[in-house]
Amino acid sequence: MGDSSTITTRVLDGLVNAGLVTVEQLSEVNEAATADGVTPGVILAQRGLISSENLNEVLEEELGIPRVDLSSYEPDPDALTLLPAEVARERVILPLFEIEGMLTVVIGEPFHVFELDELAAELGLEIEAVLSDSSSIAEALSQHYGHAAEASSGLPEGSEGPPPAPVAEELDEVSESETYSDGHEVAEASAVEFQAEEPDAVVTEHIAVEEGTWGVSYSEEPPGQVADTIEQVVDSPEPEGPQDIDLDVLAVADASRVAVLVTDILDDAVRKGASHIHLLPYKDDFFLVYRVEGRLEKITSAPISMQGALVDGLKGYVRLESVPATLPVLGRAKSRIGDRDLVVTVSAVPTVSGQRVVVSFAPHDVAPRSLSMLGMSEAETRALHAMVERGRGVLLVCAPVAGGRSSTYYALLAHAAAVGKAVYSVERSVEYEIPSVAQVLVNSGSAVGAVPYFAAGIHQDTDVMAIDSLQSVEDIHLAIEAAG
């Protein structure tokens, strides 16, 4: 199917992995596309093998391509110059920014993803895609290129379009769930209570930047005050107009009202596409802040004296209400918010200003991407798989922030388990749950750190030992011992 690093190949692999097309059908599609001189997307659409809805789901869930709200983005002027206006209008593609030879573009119709390899070759750049709706892109093209851009039907040229997609079945009810408040369902909560020897022990916050955007649908509401630093958040004015979140109920601190407030905040954050919620204590106030598409968005604030009730409510959501405010704590719960099954993680740390709380969202039951989906060549994939299957030696996965280290780590764990290895993983932040892997959640703020858990795993008849980061000499010594 060609170079495994191409966008088209990764998309086609995703369609196979999702069970939407077979390998035999894909072979026929590629042959027909080559014969007709068109993209595989044209053939897939003409034959009605997949719909736009099918493809959109694969792009978001299998390949992790995020969906963005263009009202929150201002394209880089330099990026706009890289793509001629006529090309942008013809293909309904908007360039956002270019970093070190990687151009990020927005596509409105999922089938346009098959045209990106050709565009990359024309521009001499690598292309990375994000998703939005065609009407928003057409409006942005008109605004930024200075001419009206008509929104196309979005279907590949020469295609009559795929048949209407069947209505997707609703997700199964969350098993073993209980209603928290206002209809939210929370299931299978798991938590780690950290009995730190020192009261000022710090819990490190791990933000997986690459996986932070996980495909929620962004609302059409205007964004709040967006900032890059905490100081900018604090100094920015409160958003104008009526607010969805009213912290005044905290003045009464009635448990039932606080529980409703917690569910309102979670609903609001998910609806707005937030990857994290922050409660930031600062002098005499605390601030409710969302991280949306990598930037901080101020929602509202209240006196610091009212923060305790909200912190207790968030702890209660993951069943940690009994943990004293003087101790760092981390808890997780599987929950259904809106129409999504999510894993909600609550991290609370006592600081000199007050409790700092970070809530993060992650998709539930989403398998990690394979190495080929991460852009590795077939030879690189075979080499890494062989290292994992060998069962001896040390394999270090190193990368800068947002460089794919976590994704590679989980892809290797999943492969090792898939080929029958007994896998034991010590993690400071569980980003994917892999049922066939023994995953142990620890944190540097705990009196019992990663070392004892890692040492215990050596004696559990384990084929593959993994730790998500080597942070001490003891970690390194144990890793070498396990590799022997």
Side-chain angles (χ1 to χ4, degrees):
M1 293 192 300
D3 185 355
S4 63
S5 66
T6 67
I7 297 173
T8 295
T9 299
R10 295 200 297 272
V11 174
L12 295 177
D13 288 344
L15 293 172
V16 174
N17 292 338
L20 295 173
V21 296
T22 65
V23 174
E24 292 75 15
Q25 288 174 321
L26 204 55
S27 177
E28 295 175 359
V29 166
N30 282 322
E31 290 179 3
T34 301
D36 294 350
V38 296
T39 70
V42 171
I43 306 301
L44 287 168
Q46 287 177 343
R47 298 185 179 184
L49 294 175
I50 60 170
S51 65
S52 292
E53 290 79 5
N54 295 148
L55 183 54
N56 188 70
E57 183 176 349
V58 167
L59 295 179
E60 292 192 45
E61 303 297 338
E62 294 285 339
L63 274 68
I65 296 179
R67 179 168 293 277
V68 302
D69 178 3
L70 286 181
S71 65
S72 301
Y73 273 100
E74 184 70 21
D76 188 327
D78 291 338
L80 293 172
T81 64
L82 295 174
L83 190 63
E86 59 274 14
V87 176
R89 294 193 196 96
E90 178 184 354
R91 304 191 182 191
V92 197
I93 293 176
L94 176 71
L96 284 182
F97 50 85
E98 183 268 332
I99 299 177
E100 297 182 352
M102 173 71 76
L103 178 64
T104 297
V105 302
V106 190
I107 60 175
E109 162 55 45
F111 277 96
H112 286 165
V113 74
F114 293 104
E115 302 175 9
L116 296 182
D117 289 319
E118 180 182 353
L119 180 62
E122 292 174 0
L123 299 178
L125 296 168
E126 292 186 71
I127 297 285
E128 182 176 62
V130 296
L131 303 172
S132 189
D133 60 279
S134 296
S135 59
S136 296
I137 296 176
E139 182 179 347
L141 289 173
S142 177
Q143 175 185 351
H144 296 292
Y145 281 103
H147 298 282
E150 297 181 359
S152 72
S153 65
L155 296 176
E157 183 179 354
S159 166
E160 297 179 358
V167 178
E169 296 181 0
E170 293 190 2
L171 294 170
D172 294 334
E173 294 295 323
V174 180
S175 62
E176 301 180 9
S177 64
E178 65 178 43
T179 301
Y180 175 67
S181 71
D182 200 27
H184 272 220
E185 292 179 323
V186 180
E188 304 175 46
S190 59
V192 179
E193 181 175 337
F194 300 114
Q195 303 295 334
E197 295 178 357
E198 297 296 331
D200 58 348
V202 177
V203 176
T204 58
E205 177 197 352
H206 175 78
I207 299 178
V209 179
E210 183 175 342
E211 280 74 37
T213 309
W214 37 268
V216 297
S217 297
Y218 293 94
S219 71
E220 297 298 327
E221 301 172 6
Q225 298 298 323
V226 178
D228 293 312
T229 68
I230 301 301
E231 287 76 14
Q232 291 175 351
V233 168
V234 171
D235 293 338
S236 63
E238 295 282 347
E240 298 179 357
Q243 302 303 311
D244 294 327
I245 303 301
D246 182 7
L247 297 182
D248 290 343
V249 299
L250 296 174
V252 179
D254 175 79
S256 60
R257 291 188 179 183
V258 173
V260 172
L261 175 62
V262 167
T263 57
D264 286 345
I265 291 173
L266 296 175
D267 281 334
D268 185 57
V270 169
R271 187 176 68 252
K272 292 178 177 176
S275 61
H276 296 77
I277 300 171
H278 292 247
L279 293 188
L280 303 177
Y282 192 89
K283 296 182 179 180
D284 298 327
D285 299 307
F286 77 94
F287 295 83
L288 176 64
V289 178
Y290 297 163
R291 185 178 291 279
V292 180
E293 297 167 6
R295 301 190 68 191
L296 299 174
E297 181 178 321
K298 178 179 176 180
I299 304 302
T300 187
S301 63
I304 192 69
S305 59
M306 296 165 59
Q307 186 199 28
L310 181 54
V311 174
D312 290 343
L314 288 167
K315 287 182 179 179
Y317 195 85
V318 292
R319 301 193 181 100
L320 294 175
E321 56 268 58
S322 62
V323 180
T326 55
L327 294 176
V329 69
L330 179 70
R332 305 170 73 247
K334 297 173 184 176
S335 178
R336 187 173 182 84
I337 301 177
D339 61 350
R340 289 184 174 271
D341 287 331
L342 304 174
V343 175
V344 179
T345 301
V346 177
S347 170
V349 182
T351 73
V352 294
S353 301
Q355 293 193 74
R356 186 177 190 272
V357 179
V358 175
V359 180
S360 61
F361 302 105
H364 173 47
D365 284 340
V366 175
R369 287 174 285 173
S370 66
L371 295 178
S372 62
M373 290 182 183
L374 297 177
M376 293 191 185
S377 67
E378 185 176 349
E380 291 168 336
T381 299
R382 285 200 306 267
L384 283 173
H385 284 173
M387 292 179 191
V388 172
E389 295 169 15
R390 188 178 302 133
R392 296 182 65 85
V394 176
L395 174 60
L396 297 177
V397 180
C398 306
V401 174
R405 180 188 62 82
S406 295
S407 298
T408 304
Y409 179 85
Y410 282 103
L412 292 173
L413 292 185
H415 175 76
V419 297
K421 300 291 184 181
V423 185
Y424 184 97
S425 173
V426 177
E427 304 171 28
R428 292 173 175 86
S429 176
V430 178
E431 296 172 20
Y432 293 96
E433 292 185 36
I434 307 174
S436 52
V437 174
Q439 293 173 273
V440 179
L441 176 64
V442 298
N443 195 283
S444 56
S446 172
V448 179
V451 171
Y453 286 111
F454 194 74
I458 296 176
H459 304 289
Q460 294 233 320
D461 188 27
T462 304
D463 297 315
V464 175
M465 293 287 301
I467 183 168
D468 68 357
S469 61
L470 298 175
Q471 298 185 348
S472 68
V473 174
E474 289 80 5
D475 291 348
I476 296 171
H477 285 171
L478 277 172
I480 294 173
E481 179 183 343

